[in-house]
């Protein structure tokens, strides 16, 4: 049964009536532009065809009642309990409820009407795999409150308010890409976002290719510390390069040629980190032309270069990710493969000829398992629309 039917049935069983509305909001995957968001660069994500679905109705009650089907739990909160992050009975909100409550909080701060609702929601975006299940929950609730509140905000504005909810209410320090892709996704298109100006456009992804996501199932613990070290290295590179290039504000402002001239003046590790960023920003910029021309081959090459750079220069890969990528790159029908997300485990993203995607997924799973002893999760997906009201 599709999740839309399942969520409708579960809502009816729980609340005794048919939901007034259904909304969906997808997860996302980034195809190019990794570790450049905090350097004012360009990212190239797509919304995927896995999503959070929410069945909801308005209510006269002064509080919201939410059922998280995937956790088999319920939470009740109101504008009065929002500041203390508690439920009506004053017990702390369960972790999953911080996301919808955070959306309510950021909308209240925005001073738009946030009426009470009854809702049940469920998702087929895997949680904690780097496909942004959290942003998909936030954006699904954004659509629900937009529907009941009778206001309309631009999709980028909804994304920014979702990011604010996650940063300031849930307490997770994420960039804008996740909520942006979930809010603004377009079927069969990649989204090119300028992380400095927040201007964005779409570029086509041919119908003949599938996006295949492969989860190594490995999660490294040191991620936050290593992530912060990479950010500091980039800031240090900017500080040092400013001696010769006083007008730069971030690595985004450094052209590859200028960088090549100045690189020998940088300490070895700083040089490697900054080189990845400067070249990756160029790659994500360069990607537009082949995509516009339907040239998946050349776009795939940029993905492969990105992986090598994340592995050798930015040093955020790990043996399992490298194994997954090497096997993928050797298989028929694969245009490009690389680690996606922060690194140190998590998923790879692969661009694969659609008619070969099933065989590719089987061979990749088999090869990875025989080399690592780990059984991967593989998702064949495609670029889909962003958050929307279904009915
Ligand atoms: P991800 O990379 O998937 O976004 P996060 O750690 O950022 O991982 O977010 C995962 C959290 O988001 C979950 O622990 C849960 O609190 C919330 N969440 C995600 N999906 C669901 C869901 N289907 N139902 C309820 N809460 C969810
Ligand atoms: Mg998340």
């Amino acid at each position: 049964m599709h999740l839309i039917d399942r969520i409708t049935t579960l809502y009816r069983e729980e609340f005794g009536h048919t939901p007034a509305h259904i909304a969906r909001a997808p997860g996302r995957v980034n195809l190019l532009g990794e570790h450049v968001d905090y350097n004012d660069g360009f990212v190239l994500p797509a919304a995927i065809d896995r999503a959070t679905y929410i069945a909801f109705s308005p209510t006269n009650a002064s509080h919201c009642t939410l059922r998280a089907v995937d956790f088999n739990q319920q939470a009740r909160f109101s504008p009065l309990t929002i500041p203390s992050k508690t439920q009506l009975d004053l017990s702390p909100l369960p972790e999953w409820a911080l996301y919808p409550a955070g959306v309510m909080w950021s909308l209240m701060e925005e001073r738009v009407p946030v009426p009470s609702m009854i809702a049940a929601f469920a998702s087929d975006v895997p949680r904690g795999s780097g496909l942004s299940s959290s942003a998909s929950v936030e954006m699904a609730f954004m659509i629900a409150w937009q529907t009941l509140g009778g206001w309309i905000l631009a999709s980028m504005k909804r994304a920014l308010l979702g990011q604010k909810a996650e940063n300031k209410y849930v307490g997770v320090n994420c960039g804008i890409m996740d909520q942006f892709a979930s809010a603004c996704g377009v079927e069969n298109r990649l989204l090119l976002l300028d992380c400095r100006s927040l201007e964005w456009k779409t570029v086509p992804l041919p119908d003949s290719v599938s996006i295949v996501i492969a989860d190594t199932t490995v999660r490294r613990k040191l991620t936050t510390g290593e992530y912060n070290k990479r950010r500091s290295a980039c800031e240090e590179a900017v500080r040092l390069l400013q001696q010769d290039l006083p007008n730069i504000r971030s690595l985004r402002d450094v052209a590859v040629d200028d960088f090549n001239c100045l690189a020998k003046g940088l300490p070895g590790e700083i040089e490697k980190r900054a080189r990845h960023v400067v070249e990756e920003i160029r790659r994500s910029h360069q990607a537009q032309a082949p995509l516009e021309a339907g040239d998946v081959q050349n776009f795939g090459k940029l993905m492969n270069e990105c992986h090598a750079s994340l592995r050798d220069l930015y040093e955020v890969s790990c043996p399992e990710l490298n194994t997954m990528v090497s096997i993928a790159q050797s298989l028929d029908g694969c245009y490009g493969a690389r680690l996606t997300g922060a690194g140190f485990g998590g998923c790879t993203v692969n661009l694969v000829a659609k008619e070969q995607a099933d065989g590719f997924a089987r061979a990749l799973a088999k090869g990875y398992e025989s080399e690592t002893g780990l059984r991967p999760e593989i998702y064949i997906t495609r670029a889909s629309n962003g958050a929307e009201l279904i009915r």
Side-chain angles (χ1 to χ4, degrees):
M1 199 198 303
H2 191 273
L3 256 183
I4 298 178
D5 300 319
R6 206 173 135 239
I7 199 74
T8 310
T9 308
L10 287 165
Y11 178 102
R12 211 182 290 119
E13 281 170 16
E14 181 77 20
F15 300 116
H17 60 261
T18 302
H21 302 284
I22 302 217
R24 69 172 271 285
R28 67 98 189 91
V29 66
N30 189 25
L31 280 94
L32 205 64
E34 210 64 84
H35 283 282
V36 299
D37 54 344
Y38 50 85
N39 292 292
D40 285 348
F42 298 85
V43 293
L44 205 61
I48 59 175
D49 63 358
R50 288 173 165 256
T52 296
Y53 293 85
I54 173 171
F56 61 100
S57 305
T59 169
N60 290 327
S62 56
H63 62 269
C64 296
T65 303
L66 308 184
R67 174 114 203 128
V69 170
D70 299 325
F71 287 87
N72 195 22
Q73 282 181 21
Q74 189 161 301
R76 294 192 301 161
F77 55 80
S78 77
L80 293 176
T81 69
I82 283 288
S84 56
K85 301 186 189 176
T86 52
Q87 303 212 50
L88 285 194
D89 63 6
L90 300 182
S91 64
L93 286 170
E95 199 231 17
W96 62 264
L98 290 172
Y99 295 85
V103 170
M104 178 180 240
W105 169 79
S106 69
L107 289 171
M108 282 163 56
E109 291 251 300
E110 195 63 20
R111 307 212 173 281
V112 293
V114 202
S116 299
M117 72 163 95
I118 300 174
F121 70 105
S123 185
D124 58 9
V125 183
R127 289 188 293 280
S129 302
L131 301 181
S132 276
S133 65
S134 60
S136 79
V137 170
E138 290 152 13
M139 292 305 108
F141 275 91
M142 275 289 173
I143 296 293
W145 267 308
Q146 172 167 278
T147 306
L148 299 181
W151 40 265
I152 293 178
L153 291 176
S155 53
M156 179 58 93
K157 181 70 187 174
R158 280 187 262 122
L160 285 164
L161 290 172
Q163 184 200 13
K164 181 176 171 186
E166 188 149 341
N167 289 169
K168 302 234 167 96
Y169 195 86
V170 184
V172 175
N173 190 12
C174 57
I176 186 61
M177 176 170 63
D178 301 359
Q179 289 81 8
F180 158 71
S182 181
C184 303
V186 179
E187 200 166 24
N188 297 325
R189 320 268 305 176
L190 301 183
L191 312 170
L192 181 61
L193 171 69
D194 179 337
C195 295
R196 172 176 276 168
S197 67
L198 297 188
E199 281 169 29
W200 62 281
K201 61 197 265 188
T202 69
V203 279
L205 192 64
D207 198 35
S208 57
V209 296
S210 293
I211 299 170
V212 181
I213 297 163
D215 188 344
T216 60
T217 73
V218 173
R219 307 282 185 267
R220 294 277 187 274
K221 292 245 156 50
L222 293 164
T223 319
T224 328
E226 289 298 324
Y227 178 80
N228 291 337
K229 279 193 223 161
R230 297 302 179 285
R231 287 189 78 137
S232 316
C234 294
E235 285 163 19
E236 179 66 2
V238 172
R239 208 180 56 76
L240 293 169
L241 290 168
Q242 275 169 340
Q243 293 165 7
D244 293 289
L245 304 168
N247 293 328
I248 62 168
R249 278 195 285 144
S250 64
L251 289 176
R252 152 78 175 268
D253 301 315
V254 183
V256 174
D257 288 345
D258 290 339
F259 184 79
N260 287 337
C261 294
L262 298 169
K264 42 189 175 314
L266 298 174
E269 189 173 289
I270 304 281
E271 196 246 302
K272 281 204 279 185
R273 306 298 187 246
R275 180 175 294 284
H276 164 74
V277 172
V278 170
E279 292 179 351
E280 179 73 353
I281 290 175
R282 179 170 69 177
R283 268 191 292 276
S284 41
H285 220 207
Q286 274 176 347
Q288 255 185 86
L291 284 168
E292 296 286 359
D295 179 358
V296 203
Q297 211 107 31
N298 269 313
F299 179 68
K301 277 195 193 131
L302 296 173
M303 291 175 68
N304 292 339
E305 285 172 29
C306 169
H307 183 76
S309 178
L310 289 167
R311 181 190 62 209
D312 302 333
L313 297 177
Y314 220 59
E315 298 183 275
V316 292
S317 192
C318 65
E320 294 85 355
L321 282 166
N322 293 336
T323 299
M324 191 76 93
V325 165
S326 301
I327 297 170
Q329 288 172 345
S330 74
L331 292 173
D332 280 349
C334 180
Y335 296 108
R338 67 174 198 85
L339 77 84
T340 184
F344 303 109
C347 295
T348 68
V349 60
N350 309 266
L351 216 49
V352 182
K354 193 184 251 172
E355 72 273 17
Q356 280 161 290
D358 286 321
F360 170 87
R362 271 195 304 276
L364 182 58
K366 192 161 165 246
Y368 180 77
E369 189 173 351
S370 75
E371 279 201 35
T372 63
L374 299 168
R375 185 162 296 174
E377 289 291 339
I378 304 206
Y379 312 102
I380 300 175
T381 179
R382 61 191 186 84
S384 78
N385 282 332
E388 60 193 344
L389 188 68
I390 297 177
R391 61 171 185 255

